[in-house]
Amino acid sequence: FWDCWLEGGFKNGEIVPLPTQEFHCKNVENAFRFMSQGKHMGKIVITGLSDGKFCVETMKTNLGQSHLITGGLGGLGLSIAFRLAEEGCKNVCLVGRRGITNGFQKRQIDLVSKMGCHVKIITSAVVDLVASSLPQPSVIWHAATVYEDKMFSEMTEEAWNLVVDTKVKGYNHLRSIWPSTRIVTFSSVAAYFGNALQTSYALANATLDAYARKKNSKTLSIRLGPLDNVGFITKSKNSRILFDSVPFEIMNVDGVLDRIMKITGEKDSGVFGIYDLKQTTKNNNRDVKAKVKSASEGTGNTYTIKEAQTFVSVILGGSPDQYTSSTSLKESGLDSLSTMEVVNYIHEQSGRQDFKPSNITDEFTVQSIVDVIVSSRGTSVVETFTHTNKDSKTKEAEFFDSSPNRPIVHSELATEKTVFDGPEPEPEISHEPVVTINIAPSFIDFDSIISALKTADVVVLRQSDPLVFNHGAPIESNNEISIAKFMDRYVALSEAFESTSSTVVAIIEGEVRGGGMLFPAVADVCVATKKASFGLPEIHRNMVPSVVSKALVERLGQSTTRRLCLTGESFQTEQALRIGLIDHIVDDDDLDQFVSNTVRRWKSRAPATRFIKNELLPKTSTHSLAMGTVAGTWLMQQGGAGDNHDIGKHEVLKISIDEYGVATLTMCDTTYQNTMTFEMTAAIRSALPRLRRDAKVIILMSSLNHFHVGLNPAKTREWRNRPTCHIAADMKECYMGFVELATLGLPIIAILNGKVYGGGLPIALWCDYRIASADVDMHFGNLSRGMSPAGQLSQLLREYLSP
Ligand SMILES: NC(=O)c1ccc[n+]([C@@H]2O[C@H](COP(=O)([O-])OP(=O)(O)OC[C@H]3O[C@@H](n4cnc5c(N)ncnc54)[C@H](OP(=O)(O)O)[C@@H]3O)[C@@H](O)[C@H]2O)c1
């Protein structure tokens, strides 16, 4: 019956097959990408399969298989090689005068080879290249460069020629060997804007630009602004200082590579600039910074010269004892990319983020690594005005100084303590009327946006890519730490949007997904063209939208946001307008006019717009930070770390339940002195089923000479280099045992003795009845240790102490 019915249905056109979307098997990757976006209805069909054989085209670029990169072992050269290998290229020749000089280059080349790309190293100056020994390249990337920055009065013929010849004679030699092959040369903004000490470099680059402008030159000249993590800027302290005075932002090499590949894929001659102009703020913070040293409240662990030697041998190759304390890193072959390895390592080891590539001068040695790390662990550099008070050692500091578990302090680190308790003068902020920020598809420039939200009256957010507004966090990455670090910055961005008094306008002309949805969610006015589309696809990758979901709740309401999170569905402009995510749909051609009309309305109305945002209708929520904690818990569970807390074997809690159902929980952690630990949470949790079954009342007490003294600073110091959202999640976990005990529904009597400090105080206050011995010393002293009392404590104290 059903078959007949179906047959009839198809014949009559009553039953229509679902639509199909076809992809040729060469583009199967695009098919999967399309499917993962959840945009389609019906079936996705793969065509072009012959003999059941599946042929997958892995080449993603139209630039050909073989590439020659001059300066290929330098910072940008290696990055290009890596990117070409990622795009599926099969051969790269890297040309440099000295060949491989360090372990970092070796490792990068290994990575490129592992991607199936054959690497040939040619140890030669560009002008000495001989065609017969080389394969025909599809594209030549001319990235060889020498920097000889000198005052004109000190310039020598040799220095001048070295710079100019490498670029200009080098280019001409390449062209004479390969008259019709595409050449991509790298020039610099110095060619156009000039730069102190760089006359020869500017001339060489301007000449390359001129060659690329010639008709049929088959030459592209890409004029770059300063890159943060490769090359020039990393080579000397002066470079960064020079760039402080020119109007360019320092750019990240990854974003720049995207733009290079795009230009190279579309054009084969002409001059193209890749540089970001600085958003000017009149009173640059640097002007008001005064660096002073302070002994940090606690000092870190030891760091030895051996560790530094081992690290240097890993990045530069060889064995640790090859490097003495006075070995100069630069002289041992440190180049631009391995410079970044050193910088990141110092950030990790020292916890200070103000160490810059430009701090690595020619004189920077293995010993310098030790000095920076040791001094940062022992003292912290605070960029603020200060007021000192030598006698303010806190009660808790005294307590922990006498604790057996305090960290080891090197005698040379025991510097005079300086405590900051004076008010910090607010730097004077100059307001810009309108700042437009171009948002990149897969990278958020957190600092620029946050700084604009502090200074500008109106912030306009536009997309830099024609198709994509922003895709949020790098959720495809397998590196949980990089996602967690992104999350920290994202939380800061979300908080900046919550607290800003700038008016925010978002203009959406392409895809917005995942964390990128924060931008329309927080915008005061959001307009979109018909090309825009939206969605929270995290669920398709077994991820969850985190901070962004709360911003969306404020704009769309709970139920709509929940649906978007759960379904991961993507939707177009009309639906976005219907649910209130955007405010207007504007035709592409009218967009600029619409924006300027809207923004004009606010010109010279800044006091009113700021009053509306600050006083009249302020954002009340401060949920970003809390959501960061929630996200941290999720991320750690995904990485397997959530259930993996380090739980020691020692006894921290004794439990007895008598025949009347009186349960006595005695905290007895002699190792960590009744402080917040994962062990205590685990011990309480394991007791909960028994308490639920047999107990009628709980007595919570301590067998030590104090009740509980909150978080253990020695333990929390171990967290210092970790992403904040991970730390917040762990902090929460440390409290959770007591929270679960307090919400069990049984009456709890606390017997308080000795010190009840910091986080120990809310434990006492969560109990229903408190009995104290005569020696009890209650003190929530977080402030005196530079911490604010946990939300719970401030809330509980208000309940208990207010009239
Ligand atoms: N990084 C930036 O901020 C920036 C900004 C604007 C423009 N650019 C441009 O981008 C390109 C790449 O710069 P980069 O930052 O990657 O520089 P880099 O790290 O200093 O690398 C340059 C490489 O060129 C090689 N080289 C020098 N003279 C050579 C010669 N005669 N023949 C063959 N190789 C030679 C050097 O290796 P050997 O010494 O071993 O031969 C070095 O590895 C350059 O054209 C530069 O002008 C860079």
Side-chain angles (χ1 to χ4, degrees):
F1 165 78
W2 283 108
D3 285 351
C4 291
W5 186 84
L6 280 174
E7 209 182 319
F10 279 120
K11 269 191 195 147
N12 300 336
E14 285 166 357
I15 305 174
V16 183
L18 286 171
T20 56
Q21 169 87 28
E22 290 187 6
F23 285 85
H24 192 270
C25 63
K26 281 187 178 170
N27 302 327
V28 72
E29 189 181 331
N30 291 346
F32 278 105
R33 288 197 188 288
F34 179 68
M35 186 166 73
S36 71
Q37 289 164 7
K39 282 178 179 169
H40 66 288
M41 276 178 64
K43 299 286 176 197
I44 296 172
V45 176
I46 308 294
T47 61
L49 293 171
S50 61
D51 306 333
K53 283 192 184 144
F54 209 91
C55 89
V56 178
E57 185 63 79
T58 51
M59 189 84 178
K60 291 184 210 152
T61 165
N62 58 357
L63 297 177
Q65 296 278 9
S66 298
H67 296 259
L68 180 111
I69 308 174
T70 73
L73 292 158
L76 187 65
L78 276 173
S79 308
I80 293 174
F82 190 87
R83 176 61 69 97
L84 289 170
E86 274 183 328
E87 307 256 323
C89 296
K90 294 289 173 245
N91 296 298
V92 287
C93 292
L94 307 181
V95 183
R97 292 165 304 173
R98 294 172 296 160
I100 298 177
T101 53
N102 60 55
F104 181 77
Q105 290 165 327
K106 266 191 223 136
R107 271 197 300 139
Q108 288 300 102
I109 291 166
D110 275 349
L111 289 174
V112 171
S113 307
K114 278 191 187 131
M115 286 190 265
C117 179
H118 175 70
V119 181
K120 181 171 173 158
I121 308 296
I122 299 164
T123 310
S124 161
V126 197
V127 288
D128 298 328
L129 282 178
V130 184
S132 55
S133 61
L134 298 166
Q136 166 67 43
S138 354
V139 178
I140 300 162
W141 306 77
H142 184 32
T145 196
V146 179
Y147 301 103
E148 285 283 344
D149 295 359
K150 283 192 180 5
M151 298 284 282
F152 225 86
S153 54
E154 287 158 20
M155 181 62 76
T156 61
E157 196 176 338
E158 195 190 5
W160 178 276
N161 287 344
L162 194 58
V163 174
V164 177
D165 290 355
T166 304
K167 291 216 162 213
V168 178
K169 275 199 181 156
Y171 170 87
N172 285 317
H173 184 66
L174 293 166
R175 188 41 92 218
S176 69
I177 305 181
W178 291 286
S180 56
T181 306
R182 291 189 60 190
I183 302 184
V184 180
T185 65
F186 293 95
S187 128
S188 158
V189 283
Y192 189 66
F193 290 86
N195 201 11
L197 313 181
Q198 290 199 320
T199 323
S200 51
Y201 183 69
L203 172 86
N205 285 311
T207 311
L208 292 181
D209 288 351
Y211 287 148
R213 278 197 200 97
K214 277 196 198 156
K215 226 174 162 196
N216 301 327
S217 65
K218 287 215 137 200
T219 301
L220 265 177
S221 184
I222 300 190
R223 190 187 275 162
L224 295 175
L227 306 179
D228 194 27
N229 35 4
V230 301
F232 171 71
I233 206 86
T234 62
K235 302 212 172 178
S236 82
K237 204 167 187 164
N238 283 345
S239 318
R240 188 172 286 269
I241 294 167
L242 287 177
F243 272 103
D244 279 351
S245 60
V246 297
F248 305 106
E249 293 287 7
I250 295 176
M251 307 176 295
N252 185 292
V253 71
D254 289 335
V256 169
L257 278 177
D258 290 342
R259 287 149 83 180
I260 292 175
M261 288 301 160
K262 192 162 186 303
I263 295 169
T264 318
E266 289 169 6
K267 312 276 177 196
D268 70 358
S269 59
V271 182
F272 292 85
I274 301 182
Y275 49 86
D276 291 339
L277 288 176
K278 270 180 191 158
Q279 309 279 353
T280 49
T281 49
K282 279 181 209 139
N283 254 338
N284 195 320
N285 262 354
R286 275 188 210 106
D287 299 339
V288 292
K289 280 175 187 169
K291 293 190 174 183
V292 292
K293 282 187 175 175
S294 109
S296 67
E297 166 223 24
T299 48
N301 307 321
T302 57
Y303 181 85
T304 60
I305 191 90
K306 202 153 188 50
E307 287 173 77
Q309 287 169 302
T310 309
F311 165 69
V312 172
S313 72
V314 170
I315 59 158
L316 295 183
S319 63
D321 43 16
Q322 234 173 287
Y323 301 93
T324 67
S325 58
S326 60
T327 307
S328 152
L329 265 51
K330 290 263 167 167
E331 272 171 27
S332 310
L334 192 81
D335 78 343
S336 47
L337 282 174
S338 43
T339 299
M340 282 317 289
E341 296 255 300
V342 178
V343 170
N344 291 339
Y345 177 77
I346 288 176
H347 285 181
E348 266 170 41
Q349 293 293 323
S350 66
R352 58 182 266 202
Q353 300 299 315
D354 60 346
F355 187 85
K356 300 266 165 27
S358 51
N359 294 126
I360 303 183
T361 57
D362 290 349
E363 289 73 47
F364 196 86
T365 60
V366 175
Q367 181 64 42
S368 312
I369 299 182
V370 180
D371 293 344
V372 174
I373 292 172
V374 165
S375 68
S376 302
R377 288 183 182 185
T379 58
S380 63
V381 174
V382 178
E383 295 186 329
T384 175
F385 290 114
T386 62
H387 166 98
T388 61
N389 175 357
K390 291 180 200 153
D391 302 323
S392 46
K393 198 171 183 187
T394 65
K395 280 184 151 208
E396 279 164 311
E398 276 164 18
F399 173 77
F400 285 110
D401 282 355
S402 61
S403 149
N405 294 300
R406 69 182 191 275
I408 307 153
V409 180
H410 263 318
S411 56
E412 70 266 26
L413 301 181
T415 49
E416 188 188 23
K417 284 200 172 189
T418 310
V419 176
F420 304 113
D421 59 3
E424 282 185 20
E426 280 281 315
E428 196 192 310
I429 294 171
S430 62
H431 286 169
E432 298 276 321
V434 182
V435 169
T436 300
I437 305 253
N438 288 321
I439 308 278
S442 51
F443 165 78
I444 299 179
D445 183 353
F446 295 102
D447 292 335
S448 300
I449 306 175
I450 292 173
S451 125
L453 290 171
K454 283 186 188 145
T455 54
D457 295 330
V458 179
V459 176
V460 180
L461 304 170
R462 297 201 72 157
Q463 66 196 57
S464 60
D465 183 270
L467 300 178
V468 179
F469 185 90
N470 184 262
H471 279 168
I475 55 175
E476 311 284 0
S477 162
N478 292 326
N479 182 345
E480 311 125 41
I481 296 298
S482 74
I483 297 180
K485 285 193 170 159
F486 176 95
M487 192 58 72
D488 285 354
R489 307 297 331 273
Y490 191 75
V491 167
L493 177 69
S494 181
E495 284 189 306
F497 276 121
E498 277 168 9
S499 60
T500 185
S501 58
S502 313
T503 302
V504 179
V505 184
I507 317 289
I508 318 273
E509 298 168 78
E511 285 178 10
V512 198
R513 296 288 187 277
M517 293 278 279
L518 183 71
F519 298 108
V522 296
D524 297 301
V525 176
C526 181
V527 298
T529 65
K530 290 248 164 68
K531 285 185 289 187
S533 68
F534 307 81
L536 296 169
E538 286 87 340
I539 192 90
H540 298 309
R541 288 157 181 81
N542 196 31
M543 290 287 291
V544 291
S546 52
V547 180
V548 66
S549 59
K550 283 291 178 186
L552 285 165
V553 164
E554 184 171 311
R555 188 158 188 132
L556 308 179
Q558 187 93 14
S559 57
T560 304
T561 306
R562 195 185 303 118
R563 174 170 56 79
L564 295 179
C565 292
L566 287 172
T567 61
E569 69 196 69
S570 52
F571 52 97
Q572 312 296 320
T573 319
E574 281 85 3
Q575 191 182 340
L577 183 67
R578 232 177 8 255
I579 63 176
L581 182 60
I582 63 167
D583 304 300
H584 301 279
I585 301 178
V586 180
D587 286 341
D588 294 355
D589 295 342
D590 300 337
L591 200 56
D592 291 337
Q593 191 59 46
F594 183 92
V595 176
S596 66
N597 287 349
T598 310
V599 170
R600 191 180 320 115
R601 208 166 295 149
W602 295 316
K603 280 237 167 91
S604 65
R605 297 282 179 272
T609 56
R610 287 183 183 277
F611 183 85
I612 291 171
K613 288 208 63 174
N614 263 347
E615 314 285 336
L616 195 65
L617 297 167
K619 294 206 179 202
T620 46
S621 49
T622 50
H623 43 56
S624 298
L625 211 52
M627 286 305 286
T629 312
V630 175
T633 307
W634 168 263
L635 289 175
M636 288 174 74
Q637 279 168 4
Q638 295 311 293
D643 308 324
N644 231 353
H645 290 303
D646 180 17
I647 297 172
K649 296 257 177 297
H650 57 278
E651 194 178 28
V652 295
L653 188 71
K654 291 193 180 96
I655 302 154
S656 67
I657 306 181
D658 72 11
E659 56 195 336
Y660 303 106
V662 178
T664 307
L665 271 56
T666 311
M667 297 181 286
C668 57
D669 183 354
T670 49
T671 307
Y672 290 114
Q673 301 290 314
N674 287 357
T675 51
M676 294 288 180
T677 57
F678 299 132
E679 285 100 323
M680 188 65 86
T681 299
I684 296 174
R685 274 205 186 121
S686 70
L688 292 177
R690 219 176 121 205
L691 293 172
R692 238 179 242 119
R693 193 184 61 226
D694 300 333
K696 294 197 172 66
V697 60
I698 296 170
I699 297 172
L700 182 64
M701 57 188 285
S702 158
S703 65
L704 309 187
N705 59 7
H706 60 272
F707 177 76
H708 197 288
V709 285
L711 274 174
N712 180 351
K715 199 93 186 99
T716 51
R717 231 167 264 133
E718 289 168 12
W719 293 342
R720 66 198 304 167
N721 292 327
R722 298 176 52 214
T724 314
C725 65
H726 280 184
I727 296 173
D730 273 356
M731 182 101 91
K732 182 176 133 201
E733 177 66 10
C734 283
Y735 275 91
M736 277 319 281
F738 292 103
V739 172
E740 286 167 29
L741 188 69
T743 50
L744 200 56
L746 293 172
I748 309 179
I749 301 167
I751 314 277
L752 307 177
N753 67 311
K755 295 177 190 343
V756 188
Y757 278 179
L761 204 54
I763 299 174
L765 297 177
W766 280 324
C767 298
D768 303 287
Y769 198 76
R770 283 162 293 282
I771 301 169
S773 62
D775 68 339
V776 82
D777 175 12
M778 284 190 170
H779 175 66
F780 62 92
N782 308 57
L783 281 179
S784 57
R785 297 180 49 233
M787 296 159 72
S788 66
Q792 272 294 337
L793 181 53
S794 359
Q795 175 73 25
L796 287 166
L797 286 173
R798 197 163 59 191
E799 261 174 45
Y800 280 82
L801 302 182
S802 50

